Amino acid sequence: MRRPQRTSARALALIAISIASGSAAARAQSTEMNPTRPTVANSAAIQGKGTVQVETGYDAYPGAMQTVDTAFYYAPLDRLRLDFIWSAFSHEVNDDGTTTNGVSTIQLGGKVALKKEGYHRWAPGIAVQYEAELPTASKHDLQGYGQQAILLLNHHYGKNGALDIMINGSIVQEGCRDTTGCHYGGQQSLAVSYHITRSTRLYGEVFGQNNEQSNTPPGTYVFAGFYHPFNSSFGIDGGTRFGVSPGSSSFGTTVGLVFGKHVHGSDTRPAEGSRPR
């Protein structure tokens, strides 16, 4: 009578091991997103290795600019992200009051994490990012060659790393149509992110730029916004910007969607959209 009991116990043990292995595999294959919206400043981290991340958003500055952008990010390695960003629609109000509508530029580039952040160490995470701006088929003044090099720093503070401070600085070359047609400038931004829950973040930011970027007119702005992931593969973001320098747009709004899918490999790091343990 004991032999069937030993067989049943052995079968139950095998089932338990199988379930545990399946759960571990599911955790290892979970998507890790790292949103680049809604702030101008971004962290030095990237999404999980093997994850494709797609972001699309609408930015509006009444009387100045409206854009619809879509970005594709792919992380083939732990410290490397490849970028493809397409401005599918741009509406700009020119200095003479006329408007220009059309497809704007395409950006190709990537981000390399030079030093990963340690939540319990004083040193910040450090990354560099490069984007080449290419003209599209639009016949309007929305096209042009350019490039941007960005230095990104960030560090989490407080209990469980609830407060994240991000600092970005960039050098920009834009509007190039010939050897004398380029404009040069820069962009600086300081953003603070606070996790009000494990997933939901509130943002505050100050940023400025002396030339026009893909979705923001020149000027100095303050920003308040949020990011909320509904699960490991989908989230929303949004917020409002206010111009505080002469010549900047008085205000602007932004809203966006973030999607992620793990396509290969495994990654067991905590999601960037969640508060660190």
Side-chain angles (χ1 to χ4, degrees):
M1 296 296 293
R2 291 183 179 180
R3 185 179 302 276
Q5 292 177 355
R6 288 198 299 269
T7 302
S8 299
R10 190 177 297 112
L12 289 174
L14 290 174
I15 292 172
I17 293 172
S18 177
I19 293 174
S21 300
S23 299
R27 289 193 299 269
Q29 296 296 329
S30 63
T31 300
E32 177 192 350
M33 296 192 297
N34 185 282
T36 65
R37 296 176 58 91
T39 51
V40 170
N42 289 296
S43 73
I46 61 176
Q47 75 265 29
K49 177 183 176 181
T51 296
V52 173
Q53 181 174 300
V54 180
E55 298 186 44
T56 184
Y58 171 71
D59 297 271
Y61 292 82
M65 175 186 291
Q66 298 181 55
T67 60
V68 177
D69 290 345
T70 301
F72 298 87
Y73 303 113
Y74 170 60
L77 303 172
D78 284 329
R79 299 194 179 208
L80 174 64
R81 188 191 75 186
L82 303 178
D83 304 347
F84 176 87
I85 305 168
W86 179 42
S87 295
F89 172 77
S90 182
H91 167 86
E92 294 184 6
V93 179
N94 304 315
D95 294 337
D96 59 3
T98 62
T99 60
T100 304
N101 300 302
V103 178
S104 189
T105 54
I106 290 174
Q107 296 179 30
L108 299 174
K111 179 161 69 171
V112 176
L114 302 178
K115 183 181 184 301
K116 290 188 176 182
E117 176 195 9
Y119 292 123
H120 303 294
R121 297 195 299 268
W122 66 270
I126 303 173
V128 291
Q129 184 175 337
Y130 174 80
E131 305 292 344
E133 194 170 79
L134 307 175
T136 65
S138 175
K139 296 181 179 180
H140 300 290
D141 195 30
L142 300 167
Q143 62 182 353
Y145 291 96
Q147 55 187 333
Q148 183 176 17
I150 310 169
L151 175 66
L152 308 96
L153 308 173
N154 83 284
H155 200 288
H156 287 76
Y157 295 92
K159 184 179 180 181
N160 296 324
L163 183 69
D164 186 16
I165 296 179
M166 296 173 283
I167 300 174
N168 288 185
S170 68
I171 299 174
V172 179
Q173 178 193 60
E174 58 96 18
C176 299
R177 292 171 181 80
D178 52 48
T179 56
T180 61
C182 296
H183 303 282
Y184 297 88
Q187 185 183 74
Q188 299 78 39
S189 51
L190 167 64
V192 177
S193 164
Y194 181 73
H195 295 258
I196 58 174
T197 67
R198 274 191 65 85
S199 58
T200 302
R201 305 189 219 175
L202 295 181
Y203 287 97
E205 182 179 39
V206 177
F207 71 95
Q209 56 200 35
N210 58 358
N211 56 5
E212 186 173 287
Q213 294 297 293
S214 61
N215 62 345
T216 309
T220 301
Y221 299 85
V222 296
F223 172 76
F226 73 96
Y227 168 69
H228 176 74
F230 290 95
N231 52 49
S232 62
S233 300
F234 173 66
I236 62 172
D237 59 69
T240 304
R241 300 182 175 108
F242 299 93
V244 296
S245 64
S248 63
S249 295
S250 57
F251 74 96
T253 58
T254 179
V255 62
L257 304 174
V258 184
F259 304 89
K261 181 174 178 59
H262 198 96
V263 295
H264 76 82
S266 62
D267 196 296
T268 57
R269 292 176 295 170
E272 181 66 17
S274 301
R275 186 185 302 175
R277 296 183 183 275

